[in-house]
Amino acid sequence: MADVYGVKMHGILAWLLWRGFYLSFLPGLVSKFRVGLNWMINAVMPPNIVQLRMPAPATRYIHYWEGDKVFEPGMLIDGFYTVIKGRFKLTIDNPDTGEHFEKEFGPGDHFGERVLLKSHLRTGLVEALDDGLLLFTAQKDFRRFARAFPPLEKYFRSYIDATFGGPDKAFAPGNVMDEKEDEHEPQA
């Protein structure tokens, strides 16, 4: 309902009057046209107000700036990282045994392969030494791929043993996972 100088208006006439009044305050003809056209389209086809929540891709590129932390001790193991550009440094300190481990990674190197282990928490700190780019693969997808391609799983088992001194070292807690995930594998 609108009351203009004592004249009462209802319905579409009041709506048009209000919209015209609103449009008169918009700067420029293009703005007025866009808003008016949008109102007409919305009158025929109301906007969809559903918010889509999409998960991040399981494999993606992630940029890091010098000094950024990729992960820290105690964080959940999330995935596997391949260095595309830049340098990154892994540091693991075990306060119980006093052991200290450091390794630097450059293009073509990888870290985070311990997602294959039973451990659920990170034990090391990875920091960017330069501005860099990593290719990230989510934990579940990395495990699926390693299991489906035995030479890859074999490579990572031997890499973990050679790099971290075997599963009995504090730097590689647990053993490589042999049990199946709690999901159904596709049937042939």
Side-chain angles (χ1 to χ4, degrees):
M1 180 170 142
D3 187 357
V4 182
Y5 298 110
V7 179
K8 295 186 191 271
M9 293 181 230
H10 300 279
I12 190 107
L13 187 59
W15 182 83
L16 287 172
L17 185 64
W18 170 247
R19 297 295 177 154
F21 179 73
Y22 182 87
L23 285 175
S24 70
F25 285 98
L26 289 177
L29 189 58
V30 174
S31 296
K32 292 176 186 181
F33 178 76
R34 281 185 186 159
V35 170
L37 184 61
N38 192 22
W39 286 342
M40 285 188 275
I41 291 171
N42 288 342
V44 178
M45 297 177 294
N48 186 350
I49 58 170
V50 173
Q51 180 181 2
L52 297 177
R53 191 163 194 177
M54 305 282 293
T59 301
R60 61 188 179 274
Y61 290 107
I62 304 175
H63 294 270
Y64 288 92
W65 301 109
E66 180 180 343
D68 284 350
K69 295 176 182 170
V70 178
F71 54 75
E72 299 179 71
M75 292 176 69
L76 288 175
I77 291 179
D78 56 348
F80 173 75
Y81 300 84
T82 304
V83 180
I84 304 300
K85 185 173 82 174
R87 294 178 310 125
F88 295 83
K89 179 180 167 186
L90 167 65
T91 305
I92 304 173
D93 287 309
N94 186 330
D96 297 334
T97 64
E99 294 173 288
H100 177 79
F101 178 85
E102 282 188 6
K103 183 167 175 141
E104 192 173 307
F105 303 95
D109 292 333
H110 54 79
F111 55 89
E113 58 282 327
R114 294 189 313 153
V115 298
L116 288 172
L117 301 175
K118 289 182 180 178
S119 177
H120 296 291
L121 298 177
R122 296 282 185 194
T123 57
L125 166 70
V126 174
E127 293 179 283
L129 298 176
D130 305 320
D131 294 350
L133 178 67
L134 296 174
L135 176 64
F136 170 82
T137 305
Q139 178 181 19
K140 188 181 278 187
D141 291 329
F142 178 73
R143 283 183 176 167
R144 283 180 185 155
F145 189 61
R147 283 198 186 102
F149 190 57
L152 185 64
E153 185 170 14
K154 183 179 178 185
Y155 162 77
F156 283 113
R157 284 179 187 230
S158 63
Y159 177 84
I160 290 169
D161 285 347
T163 304
F164 299 104
D168 58 332
K169 291 292 276 186
F171 305 124
N175 294 315
V176 175
M177 293 185 73
D178 290 322
E179 70 260 10
K180 299 282 185 213
E181 291 179 29
D182 292 337
E183 63 181 58
H184 300 291
E185 293 185 15
Q187 300 295 321

